[in-house]
Amino acid sequence: MPATPAGLHGSIGMGVAVMPEYEGSNDYQARVMPNINLFYGDSLFFTRLSAGANLLRFKTEQGVTIAAGPLLALRRGRDQDDNEALSGLGDIDPGLDAGGFIRFRKQGWHASIDVRQNVTHSDEGATINLSVGHGMPLGQKLKLRANLETTWASADYMNTFFGISALQSAQSGIAQYEAGSGFKDAGASIMVDYAITRDWAGFATIRYKRILGDAADSPIVTDLGSRDQASAGVGIKYRF
């Protein structure tokens, strides 16, 4: 494994993605999405709208590298104008999550646990994300990474994004619904990088997830949307 570069390194890019209009929707839209992965040595990182620090890092006798530390992440909100199914449900403001992570790596395999609690809105709850995957080269220029992941969510989170309060029911005409805590989704993704030059690379991503539990039983999913969620994106990035 090559040594981790000192100082700032990573990649900055831009892509176009097709994704559901809201989590649980069966309508899709195209969005221009930034692709930012920044690292400072092997200590600090900013990737996928989250930032953290590897405060604990060591390698076991079996060759497993373990890193852990604090995590901050932006949580996307939701606009009731995003889709007709959300009309009358009101907007959900973006927020900031705080928590921690632990990562495991060995010979291309990686696994992680992220624990996040919203700190800007007291009623938006907590999530725990579990993932495992494997990355491999498919030639000198092509690299592939496959992931499996699932997310557990608290009752506050579930009700914020999938519940229908009495007021929302009156405003929207959708039946009132209260969601409990539990696993809200499980899915898989495949990511491909292709080196165009030494500094530039193209990338493509395909993701699928199945909404589970009380989230899947929400009227905005089971009646007005879909439990099956897919997305895909392509783009280009500059590496340094």
Side-chain angles (χ1 to χ4, degrees):
M1 181 180 296
T4 301
L8 183 65
H9 63 283
S11 65
I12 298 176
M14 189 68 67
V16 177
V18 177
M19 61 184 64
E21 292 187 345
Y22 65 89
E23 188 175 17
S25 176
N26 58 3
D27 296 318
Y28 286 76
Q29 64 179 352
R31 290 184 181 179
V32 176
M33 302 287 290
N35 185 284
I36 301 173
N37 296 278
L38 301 177
F39 307 89
Y40 190 83
D42 61 358
S43 300
L44 305 175
F45 63 85
F46 177 86
T47 178
R48 294 184 65 184
L49 299 181
S50 64
N54 295 313
L55 297 187
L56 173 65
R57 185 180 177 90
F58 66 94
K59 193 170 185 178
T60 69
E61 294 180 355
Q62 294 75 30
V64 179
T65 300
I66 301 175
L71 185 72
L72 291 175
L74 295 177
R75 180 182 292 186
R76 289 188 175 94
R78 191 180 72 193
D79 194 317
Q80 68 174 349
D81 294 330
D82 288 343
N83 187 276
E84 185 178 353
L86 304 176
S87 180
L89 300 185
D91 298 339
I92 301 173
D93 294 330
L96 178 67
D97 289 352
F101 69 89
I102 182 168
R103 307 273 192 268
F104 306 88
R105 293 184 181 272
K106 182 180 180 181
Q107 297 177 346
W109 289 95
H110 54 271
S112 67
I113 303 171
D114 291 356
V115 179
R116 305 180 185 186
Q117 169 66 51
N118 188 268
V119 293
T120 51
H121 307 289
S122 60
D123 60 345
E124 289 191 8
T127 59
I128 300 175
N129 181 266
L130 310 172
S131 70
V132 61
H134 184 62
M136 68 190 79
L138 298 179
Q140 292 184 340
K141 294 187 175 183
L142 192 63
K143 295 181 180 179
L144 179 146
R145 185 172 69 176
N147 283 339
L148 298 174
E149 60 184 344
T150 186
T151 304
W152 178 94
S154 69
D156 284 340
Y157 180 100
M158 290 286 222
N159 274 306
T160 296
F161 288 91
F162 298 101
I164 308 295
S165 68
L167 177 60
Q168 290 173 322
S169 179
Q171 294 175 157
S172 66
I174 301 173
Q176 189 172 343
Y177 178 74
E178 183 174 357
S181 62
F183 284 94
K184 77 176 186 72
D185 61 57
S189 64
I190 296 176
M191 290 156 278
V192 177
D193 277 14
Y194 180 78
I196 301 171
T197 67
R198 179 179 177 180
D199 298 325
W200 289 92
F203 63 87
T205 303
I206 298 175
R207 288 189 170 91
Y208 166 81
K209 71 177 180 181
R210 176 80 171 176
I211 297 182
L212 307 174
D214 282 10
D217 293 335
S218 169
I220 65 171
V221 177
T222 189
D223 296 331
L224 303 174
S226 173
R227 298 180 181 184
D228 297 304
Q229 304 283 282
S231 63
V234 295
I236 190 170
K237 60 186 176 181
Y238 175 76
R239 303 179 297 184
F240 58 93

